[in-house]
C-alpha cells in the first residue's frame, strides 16, 4: 500500500537517493531549504516505511504554483505513485486558490512529458539551454479550476 504524507527531516537521505538517481543535476541542500521555507509543499510516497517517491512545489506568484521536482524510485514507476504525488501537490495549490500549475521538463524526457500530459499539463514554450548541460527545457502548465479540483477524499 502506498501512503502519501508530508516530508519529515528523517526522510532526507532517501529523498536524496531518489533525486540523484532521477536527475543529472541536483543540489541536496535545496531540498532542505524547501522544507524549511515551504514544508506544506513537500510530500513523500511511502511503501512499507520505504520512501519510493517525492514531490516538491511552491507558490510562484499570486496565481501560479510551481512543481519544482517530482520523482519516483526506479522499480516503483508505472504504479500510480506519481499520480498520487501530483494529486497531493495540486491539492495544496487548490487550497491556495491558485489558477495555474507549472513545471519544466527536459526535452529528452519523453516518459515524464507523457506523464504530465496525462495529468492535463500542456507544453507552452521551450526554454533554450535551460539545463547546465545545454539541453532545452519545456515549460508545461495546467489550468486549475474549481471544476478540476481534487478533493482529499477523492484520492485513490
Amino acid at each position: 500500500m502506498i501512503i502519501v504524507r508530508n516530508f519529515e527531516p528523517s526522510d532526507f537521505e532517501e529523498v536524496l537517493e531518489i533525486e540523484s538517481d532521477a536527475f543529472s543535476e541536483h543540489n541536496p541542500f535545496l531540498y532542505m531549504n524547501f522544507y524549511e521555507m515551504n514544508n506544506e509543499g513537500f510530500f513523500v510516497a511511502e511503501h512499507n516505511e520505504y520512501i519510493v517517491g517525492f514531490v516538491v512545489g511552491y507558490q510562484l506568484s499570486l496565481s501560479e504554483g510551481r512543481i519544482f521536482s517530482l520523482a519516483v524510485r526506479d522499480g516503483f514507476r508505472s504504479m500510480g505513485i506519481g499520480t498520487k504525488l501530483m494529486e497531493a501537490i495540486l491539492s495544496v495549490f487548490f487550497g491556495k486558490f491558485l489558477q495555474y500549475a507549472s513545471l519544466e521538463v527536459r526535452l529528452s524526457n519523453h516518459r515524464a512529458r507523457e506523464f504530465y500530459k496525462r495529468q492535463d499539463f500542456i507544453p507552452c514554450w521551450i526554454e533554450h539551454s535551460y539545463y547546465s548541460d545545454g539541453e532545452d527545457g519545456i515549460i508545461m502548465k495546467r489550468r486549475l479550476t474549481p471544476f478540476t479540483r481534487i478533493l482529499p477524499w477523492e484520492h485513490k
Side-chain angles (χ1 to χ4, degrees), residues 4-112:
V4 174
R5 62 169 175 76
N6 290 91
F7 170 88
E8 298 170 358
S10 61
D11 302 325
F12 189 62
E13 192 172 314
E14 287 182 273
V15 165
L16 288 184
E17 281 177 25
I18 297 166
E19 193 266 347
S20 65
D21 287 344
F23 305 112
S24 58
E25 301 181 5
H26 61 277
N27 177 349
F29 299 106
L30 206 51
Y31 290 90
M32 197 49 84
N33 286 342
F34 268 112
Y35 172 72
E36 290 170 353
M37 296 174 59
N38 184 33
N39 62 356
E40 69 183 354
F42 200 156
F43 296 93
V44 296
E46 189 177 69
H47 175 68
N48 294 331
E49 298 183 15
Y50 181 60
I51 304 301
V52 296
F54 71 91
V55 64
V56 178
Y58 59 94
Q59 186 170 344
L60 180 65
S61 69
L62 290 175
S63 63
E64 187 171 333
R66 179 71 163 203
I67 297 169
F68 174 75
S69 189
L70 187 153
V72 175
R73 196 181 287 274
D74 205 19
F76 288 87
R77 295 183 183 142
S78 300
M79 297 172 61
I81 297 167
T83 298
K84 287 183 178 196
L85 289 165
M86 181 66 76
E87 289 171 351
I89 194 61
L90 292 179
S91 289
V92 170
F93 295 165
F94 282 120
K96 294 176 175 279
F97 301 101
L98 302 179
Q99 296 172 345
Y100 299 95
S102 65
L103 55 86
E104 81 283 332
V105 62
R106 284 181 175 270
L107 189 61
S108 64
N109 194 342
H110 299 287
R111 184 177 183 151

Side-chain angles (χ1 to χ4, degrees), residues 83-148:
T83 298
K84 287 183 178 196
L85 289 165
M86 181 66 76
E87 289 171 351
I89 194 61
L90 292 179
S91 289
V92 170
F93 295 165
F94 282 120
K96 294 176 175 279
F97 301 101
L98 302 179
Q99 296 172 345
Y100 299 95
S102 65
L103 55 86
E104 81 283 332
V105 62
R106 284 181 175 270
L107 189 61
S108 64
N109 194 342
H110 299 287
R111 184 177 183 151
R113 287 169 49 193
E114 287 305 312
F115 169 75
Y116 295 133
K117 284 181 184 176
R118 287 192 308 274
Q119 301 297 318
D120 298 324
F121 283 81
I122 57 169
C124 295
W125 65 85
I126 294 177
E127 290 284 343
H128 297 286
S129 300
Y130 183 84
Y131 296 95
S132 63
D133 63 2
E135 184 173 356
D136 295 343
I138 300 174
I139 304 301
M140 300 181 79
K141 289 192 174 196
R142 173 182 167 167
R143 182 161 175 78
L144 305 175
T145 69
F147 303 110
T148 60

